[in-house]
Amino acid sequence: MQTAFHMSLPCQSVRETSSFYTNIGASLGRKTQNWVDVNLYGHQMTFIKSGKFNFSNPNYVFEGKILPSFHFGVILDSETWNSVYKKLKEQNLDLVTESVFLKDKTGEHQSFFVKDPNDYMLEFKSFKTPKDIFNS
């Protein structure tokens, strides 16, 4: 059995958050005026209207790229990853440039980030060899 994760995060607008996630290929689940469940490739994310989340999120450097330390995301097969990347580029969203990390090493993967309406950074990854997700 494959296990899905659940994450709950504050949001500023249920409507804007719902619209953003459905535009990137997610679907909506249960919803009220104050919260919404988002099905992000089989994972449950709950966004609760409570205002802007205030935290300090320093960046870090990995293989010469500046990346956000606070982020979350999904790991997709390469075909789905390419489809999502193309779709988001066509929507003129502000994507953090697509990169290949750990080139020719265990764990090689493609990655890009996009900011949602709540200023959360969402990462999309695709591993060259899926069984290497946790290998070093």
Side-chain angles (χ1 to χ4, degrees):
M1 177 179 132
Q2 185 176 357
T3 303
F5 74 78
H6 162 75
M7 178 184 287
S8 180
L9 296 168
C11 74
Q12 297 176 67
S13 165
V14 170
R15 183 186 55 76
E16 287 180 25
T17 300
S18 298
S19 177
F20 174 84
Y21 282 92
T22 54
N23 283 338
I24 65 169
S27 61
L28 302 181
R30 297 171 296 158
K31 180 179 178 181
T32 72
Q33 192 173 7
N34 295 317
W35 60 268
V36 62
D37 282 340
V38 174
N39 177 350
L40 185 64
Y41 297 95
H43 303 285
Q44 183 191 50
M45 299 188 61
T46 301
F47 290 94
I48 301 166
K49 185 177 179 182
S50 60
K52 187 173 177 84
F53 188 51
N54 187 9
F55 62 93
S56 174
N57 57 337
N59 294 326
Y60 71 103
V61 177
F62 181 62
E63 293 191 342
K65 304 282 186 190
I66 298 173
L67 303 174
S69 61
F70 180 83
H71 66 273
F72 59 93
V74 292
I75 299 170
L76 304 170
D77 62 76
S78 62
E79 183 178 330
T80 304
W81 187 94
N82 284 312
S83 174
V84 169
Y85 183 73
K86 180 181 177 190
K87 179 178 180 175
L88 298 184
K89 285 288 277 188
E90 289 171 353
Q91 292 181 30
N92 292 319
L93 293 176
D94 188 18
L95 304 180
V96 175
T97 306
E98 178 270 330
S99 297
V100 174
F101 293 104
L102 302 170
K103 181 81 173 146
D104 299 323
K105 297 177 184 170
T106 301
E108 179 178 332
H109 62 279
Q110 291 178 279
S111 176
F112 73 90
F113 294 83
V114 63
K115 191 178 283 192
D116 85 355
N118 306 292
D119 288 334
Y120 298 127
M121 292 300 285
L122 176 60
E123 180 180 17
F124 290 88
K125 284 185 175 186
S126 179
F127 281 80
K128 181 178 180 180
T129 307
K131 69 177 180 66
D132 285 345
I133 290 171
F134 295 107
N135 293 336
S136 58

